[in-house]
Amino acid sequence: MKRVQILVDEELLAGLDEDEEVRRSGRSKVLRTLVASYLESRRDARLDAQYKQGYGNSLRVNEEADGWEHEGSWPEM
């Protein structure tokens, strides 16, 4: 791991230090968890945007397939 320095507002830091999880696990672990969560949500948002760009707002493959969804049949069990 690499040590980093950050600036945090004193009021925000006091609130962080009052938290039970921070007292139990320490600031560093809690902040690492928050950063990992932030990065994951950003990645998910990018993937969602790429999906929407690729497929548009519709889940339909194309209009030629409209009406065919009821033409198939499932075999009797």
Side-chain angles (χ1 to χ4, degrees), residues 23-63:
R23 283 185 287 197
R24 185 174 53 251
S25 301
R27 287 180 191 160
S28 292
K29 182 175 181 183
V30 170
L31 292 174
R32 281 193 304 270
T33 301
L34 291 170
V35 169
S37 177
Y38 169 79
L39 292 174
E40 182 178 358
S41 81
R42 297 284 292 169
R43 181 189 63 86
D44 289 348
R46 279 193 308 276
L47 290 174
D48 286 346
Q50 290 173 346
Y51 179 84
K52 286 178 184 175
Q53 182 180 9
Y55 292 100
N57 291 327
S58 174
L59 294 178
R60 294 187 346 214
V61 174
N62 65 38
E63 294 172 3

Side-chain angles (χ1 to χ4, degrees), residues 58-76:
S58 174
L59 294 178
R60 294 187 346 214
V61 174
N62 65 38
E63 294 172 3
E64 293 176 9
D66 283 350
W68 286 93
E69 63 270 9
H70 302 293
E71 294 300 317
S73 63
W74 291 96
E76 296 291 325

